[in-house]
Amino acid sequence: MKIAIIGAGPAGLAVAHKLTISNYEVDVFDNQAQVGGFAKSIELWDRKVEIGPHFLNVGIIPEVDRTVSGIVGDNYLTYERKTFIITRGKMFYYPPAITDIFKKMGVNDVCKATGSFLIQHLRKTEIEANAEDFVKQKLGLHLYQYFFESFSRKLWGLNGNQVSDVFAKSLLGFDTGFTPAKIIYTKIKRKFKPEKNPHKYLYFKGGLSTLWNTMKQKIEAAGGNFHLSTPIKALHYTSNDNLSGLILEDGSFKQYDAFVSTIPIQSLIKYLDQSDKEIVSNNKVNFRNDVLVYLKVKSERPISGQCFYCYSEDTQLTRVTNFDEFTPGLKGDFNILLAEFWCGKDDKIWQASNDEILEIVKNELKKNPVFKDVEILDAHVKKIPNAFQVPDLDLLKNREKLLSNIPAFNNLYLTGRTTSINFNYGMENAIHDGLKTASELIAALNAQPQNVPL
């Protein structure tokens, strides 16, 4: 049985790894020259960094922990995740913690937050399917205004009532079934004793690409093949039941028994039928761009924390990543920071030159209580269009429309971030989804007569 995997990111690599060690013939295709997708490392100033902050938490998913350990052995570093929200001149833990919020907000804001929370929970109001109403219902008006209102506009260019509640649930962790009342009840039941920490965050001396490249080597050693820098022109099918092969840009045809796609749904639709380009454009899936400014810096005082989310609108910064904190104990004579600006295509910062962007960054860091004292030695600017899908009110409807344009092929499997609506989707989730998809595919292949496509 020959299987084609489209996309060599974490999910695609996980699928390929499990299939090859199970003795299936696998070909992995990707447009890029390196594996890892957006989670791959890049080199700046003789160091490895990532395209944004990437946290690999294997501790929460035992199967992922076992898989990664089996691939890299003990060739990794562990660290404590320290991420923060900066808003109104104060710094809070992220994800938000109730005790931390009430400790740092101040008496006046705590009273307002408590009052609006109680008032909201005494009301029996129906929640609309937007982020503003959801957060107000769960946390009250004051906490919505304090944390969420301005951040929604900064992230997505939309007011909270224009954003899907799917995003709010992911941001606050309510997609897992927890609510403030349940959290408080659980803490009281445990008498506020600290619970066992299941987290295990991994990083590598050579960046996260150490993991992806090692996976690639293991896959190749088990008989898998990689076709990198190899654009696909189309997926070939003769009926709506099964795909039959790939047509590459050079016109060559490769036949397979099963297919796994980890690429965005819009791209997959384009491969299926050129006429579907009109369907994609009419579907009005909106995206935000990302301006990334890597900074080689020196600081007189250590910066504690890997990632800082800038919620308030008094700064243009969206978040700042501190790469030194991913490798504690390996710090050199300079640090690398990443300042990000999520924006629209018509925003000034997207249209600005690199020199203009650097001046904006300098001014914004001076206003930030954490980074105001850093000395910038050098900078590298990178712009990524269509980096993040906007979770507008039509998010789920548009998603269903997109999926409806893909025929229900028996031998096509979708996996990875493209199949999830979780906005906290991490690399451990991508690896886990890839492993689960591989298991599902193996079960289907084993159930089929030999030499008969799924």
Side-chain angles (χ1 to χ4, degrees):
M1 289 285 186
K2 292 187 65 176
I3 301 159
I5 299 171
I6 305 171
L13 291 170
V15 176
H17 174 71
K18 187 154 189 173
L19 289 175
T20 52
I21 63 175
S22 300
N23 298 317
Y24 287 95
E25 189 175 349
V26 169
D27 284 352
V28 183
F29 293 84
D30 202 289
N31 291 341
Q32 301 299 313
Q34 294 176 286
V35 297
F38 273 110
K40 68 175 177 288
S41 307
I42 60 174
E43 185 168 311
L44 288 172
W45 305 297
D46 296 322
R47 290 193 190 174
K48 299 289 186 181
V49 294
E50 277 68 49
I51 306 172
H54 292 286
F55 296 94
L56 175 57
N57 183 9
V58 300
I60 58 174
I61 308 176
E63 185 182 8
V64 174
D65 193 3
R66 290 192 299 270
T67 299
V68 172
S69 296
I71 292 168
V72 298
D74 58 0
N75 182 31
Y76 58 80
L77 305 167
T78 60
Y79 62 91
E80 178 188 356
R81 176 170 175 166
K82 292 178 285 186
T83 50
F84 301 95
I85 296 166
I86 299 176
T87 187
R88 304 192 184 198
K90 298 179 181 180
M91 194 162 73
F92 301 87
Y93 291 131
Y94 179 87
I98 291 176
T99 51
D100 181 61
I101 289 173
F102 283 109
K103 180 181 177 181
K104 295 176 180 176
M105 282 182 71
V107 175
N108 187 43
D109 282 311
V110 167
C111 291
K112 289 180 179 179
T114 303
S116 63
F117 175 80
L118 293 174
I119 289 170
Q120 188 63 52
H121 278 261
L122 289 172
R123 295 174 179 169
K124 299 295 182 182
T125 56
E126 188 173 330
I127 303 177
E128 299 292 334
N130 69 68
E132 178 178 333
D133 286 348
F134 180 84
V135 177
K136 285 181 179 177
Q137 174 69 20
K138 297 297 182 181
L139 301 181
L141 174 63
H142 191 69
L143 286 178
Y144 168 76
Q145 292 174 333
Y146 197 100
F147 287 101
F148 195 88
E149 188 172 34
S150 60
F151 194 51
S152 174
R153 287 192 291 264
K154 284 188 69 175
L155 274 188
W156 310 118
L158 298 173
N159 292 322
N161 60 5
Q162 297 172 299
V163 175
S164 170
D165 62 345
V166 172
F167 169 66
K169 291 175 182 177
S170 293
L171 183 70
L172 299 174
F174 292 168
D175 55 344
T176 61
F178 280 95
T179 65
K182 287 183 180 179
I183 293 170
I184 293 170
Y185 170 76
T186 302
K187 286 186 175 293
I188 292 173
K189 189 175 180 181
R190 292 177 179 151
K191 299 179 181 179
F192 286 88
K193 293 179 181 178
E195 56 187 303
K196 184 178 179 181
N197 183 4
H199 303 295
K200 180 182 175 183
Y201 290 96
L202 303 188
Y203 198 72
F204 305 86
K205 292 181 181 179
L208 287 169
S209 279
T210 300
L211 173 58
W212 316 134
N213 290 332
T214 305
M215 290 183 78
K216 176 177 178 288
Q217 292 166 7
K218 298 274 187 179
I219 291 164
E220 289 175 325
N225 299 298
F226 282 82
H227 303 270
L228 303 178
S229 301
T230 306
I232 295 170
K233 183 178 181 180
L235 293 173
H236 184 265
Y237 57 101
T238 55
S239 72
N240 285 340
D241 293 329
N242 289 294
L243 291 169
S244 56
L246 301 175
I247 302 173
L248 303 181
E249 284 288 354
D250 62 7
S252 60
F253 175 79
K254 291 184 174 291
Q255 186 172 357
Y256 295 95
D257 299 293
F259 302 77
V260 179
S261 175
T262 68
I263 63 175
I265 297 170
Q266 297 95 318
S267 300
L268 180 63
I269 292 173
K270 292 177 183 179
Y271 291 158
L272 289 170
D273 189 337
Q274 293 300 306
S275 65
D276 283 334
K277 287 182 178 178
E278 183 177 352
I279 296 174
V280 175
S281 63
N282 289 338
N283 210 34
K284 295 182 179 178
V285 176
N286 299 309
F287 290 87
R288 292 286 271 178
N289 299 338
D290 194 8
V291 176
L292 302 99
V293 186
Y294 292 89
L295 302 166
K296 180 181 179 181
V297 303
K298 278 190 175 182
S299 179
E300 292 298 322
R301 55 189 176 87
I303 301 169
S304 179
Q306 295 95 13
C307 193
F308 302 81
Y309 298 90
C310 305
Y311 273 30
S312 53
E313 291 179 295
D314 57 4
T315 176
Q316 294 184 62
L317 288 166
T318 305
R319 67 182 174 191
V320 181
T321 302
N322 175 25
F323 285 105
D324 257 17
E325 286 289 288
F326 287 97
T327 54
L330 297 178
K331 298 178 182 180
D333 56 357
F334 66 89
N335 188 12
I336 298 178
L337 301 178
L338 169 59
E340 287 183 77
F341 302 84
W342 294 19
C343 56
K345 60 182 177 63
D346 296 323
D347 290 348
K348 287 183 180 179
I349 195 158
W350 183 255
Q351 302 294 334
S353 67
N354 288 357
D355 289 339
E356 291 169 333
I357 291 171
L358 184 56
E359 284 303 311
I360 293 172
V361 171
K362 289 178 180 178
N363 292 330
E364 293 299 325
L365 290 181
K366 287 177 183 177
K367 298 188 296 184
N368 192 294
V370 179
F371 305 103
K372 62 182 180 180
D373 297 325
V374 300
E375 176 189 356
I376 298 176
L377 307 175
D378 199 1
H380 175 79
V381 179
K382 184 180 183 68
K383 293 182 178 180
I384 302 179
N386 300 330
F388 307 102
Q389 183 177 343
V390 176
D392 54 29
L393 295 177
D394 294 325
L395 172 70
L396 296 179
K397 182 174 68 176
N398 285 337
R399 177 182 168 78
E400 290 303 316
K401 283 184 179 179
L402 280 173
L403 289 171
S404 69
N405 289 312
I406 301 175
F409 297 113
N410 295 324
N411 61 345
L412 173 63
Y413 293 76
L414 308 183
T415 193
R417 190 181 191 96
T418 188
T419 64
S420 175
I421 57 172
N422 177 9
F423 282 84
N424 281 329
Y425 192 90
M427 291 180 295
E428 64 276 0
N429 302 115
I431 294 171
H432 193 217
D433 284 348
L435 296 174
K436 289 190 294 184
T437 299
S439 295
E440 181 184 350
L441 178 51
I442 289 169
L445 290 169
N446 289 339
Q448 292 293 319
Q450 291 295 312
N451 299 321
V452 177
L454 291 176

